[in-house]
Amino acid sequence: MSIDSIDARRHFTPVSELSWCARTIECHSIDGQVQAVPTATNDALIKSQLLDELLRASQMLTSEEVAVFDRTVQALSGLKFSGRELGVLFSMFADDTPHHDVMWGLLHLVEASDGDSMVSALVQSAPYMLRVAPEWLETFICRLLNSDLHRNMLIAYLKSMASTKGAAEVVSLIEALKADTSDCIRAKASVVASALMPLLEYSPTYQP
């Protein structure tokens, strides 16, 4: 997937959250009475099981795994994710996947999560994604740049967490995007680069 081929998909367009039906698990206590497990506990258990299932199918080597992956992404829609869980989701992206249409469902799932948590998890996942999914990482960054809200979140996070894992890699990528073929991306990257100038001066790819 070339950079030019993903330009049209870089605009940040979060999908609307699908409704999530809360379930109640009934269990028997030692005295034989039926008790209900709290919904929050049940939802957490279901989410953990779904994430495990998604991870197992993430290589999508068979048509069955593709179907399971797609179905599980849909089942996870509308749930809230912790930073650790978002990190797991980011780890599933790979540039060499033959099923980019299915992976776009995962991207929309991630984008529907809390903005601050998503930005934090993306930055911390950047070193890994640069090795296995650099094009997906660039796509995420470009889509953040195209959203006023998320662009400001990214700037704020990088300013306050400059020494965190992945920050230098993201700053370097933003600097490189100033030479992007898209006028819009170049302009947005320049805005962020200007706001991050003190950090860029320490970037290995910085050229004044």
Side-chain angles (χ1 to χ4, degrees):
M1 180 174 63
S2 67
I3 292 176
D4 289 339
S5 69
I6 62 177
D7 274 346
R9 289 176 164 178
R10 285 172 167 174
H11 298 283
F12 190 93
T13 52
V15 295
S16 59
E17 295 185 356
L18 301 179
S19 60
W20 177 257
C21 297
R23 301 182 179 93
T24 301
I25 296 177
E26 292 184 346
C27 60
H28 292 272
S29 65
I30 194 169
D31 60 4
Q33 295 181 345
V34 176
Q35 298 178 330
V37 176
T39 302
T41 301
N42 187 26
D43 283 354
L45 176 61
I46 293 171
K47 181 173 62 174
S48 178
Q49 293 173 340
L50 288 172
L51 286 172
D52 287 344
E53 186 174 7
L54 191 68
L55 190 59
R56 285 194 298 269
S58 60
Q59 292 188 359
M60 292 185 281
L61 300 177
T62 66
S63 58
E64 181 180 355
E65 285 186 342
V66 173
V68 169
F69 190 90
D70 191 31
R71 183 170 63 248
T72 306
V73 166
Q74 294 181 44
L76 286 165
S77 295
L79 295 182
K80 295 181 179 180
F81 300 103
S82 66
R84 183 192 66 80
E85 291 165 342
L86 286 169
V88 172
L89 294 176
F90 280 122
S91 74
M92 298 182 197
F93 286 92
D95 287 351
D96 61 359
T97 179
H99 305 287
H100 291 289
D101 54 336
V102 179
M103 294 303 290
W104 275 94
L106 180 60
L107 178 144
H108 289 307
L109 175 68
V110 170
E111 285 185 341
S113 62
D114 173 73
D116 287 319
S117 297
M118 177 184 63
V119 168
S120 174
L122 176 62
V123 172
Q124 294 180 54
S125 300
Y128 175 80
M129 293 184 74
L130 277 173
R131 295 195 302 272
V132 300
E135 292 183 359
W136 282 111
L137 175 62
E138 182 171 323
T139 297
F140 269 106
I141 295 298
C142 287
R143 290 165 70 87
L144 291 179
L145 295 180
N146 275 318
S147 163
D148 292 342
L149 174 64
H150 292 86
R151 184 171 62 251
N152 290 333
M153 286 181 178
L154 181 61
I155 292 172
Y157 182 83
L158 291 173
K159 279 185 173 180
S160 63
M161 303 294 288
S163 62
T164 196
K165 181 183 72 171
E169 288 85 348
V170 171
V171 170
S172 295
L173 177 55
I174 291 170
E175 176 67 12
L177 286 172
K178 289 166 59 178
D180 192 88
T181 56
S182 164
D183 290 340
C184 179
I185 294 298
R186 284 203 308 269
K188 299 296 176 56
S190 295
V191 169
V192 176
S194 296
L196 299 175
M197 185 57 68
L199 300 180
L200 285 169
E201 291 176 352
Y202 295 97
S203 169
T205 61
Y206 175 67
Q207 296 180 351

